[in-house]
Amino acid sequence: MCAHNPPCPTAMAPDREAARPVAHRPEQGWSLLCNGVLVFEDTGGLLPDGRIVAPHRPLALTVGSAA
């Protein structure tokens, strides 16, 4: 699917989100990558075969927590 040189990571590669975006809709919160992966602003995604990638953003640190 990717015509870039060097080619972007495949949809099944661990670094799949490093592929170049081919469509970006920030008002709707998603981007389509050249490897067919749809990524959402919450860091979740949808693979070309329909499998879901759960959001994987880092957990927020609690400021001023009592010890």
Side-chain angles (χ1 to χ4, degrees):
M1 193 172 203
C2 177
H4 300 112
N5 191 12
C8 292
T10 67
M12 299 305 148
D15 59 345
R16 64 181 149 254
E17 293 177 9
R20 294 185 187 182
V22 293
H24 180 63
R25 298 292 181 260
E27 69 280 2
Q28 296 177 354
W30 61 266
S31 294
L32 176 64
L33 305 180
C34 70
N35 57 7
V37 175
L38 189 62
V39 291
F40 300 101
E41 66 182 16
D42 71 350
T43 69
L46 187 61
L47 299 180
D49 64 3
R51 286 189 284 161
I52 296 169
V53 177
H56 50 276
R57 72 172 81 174
L59 297 173
L61 297 175
T62 305
V63 179
S65 60

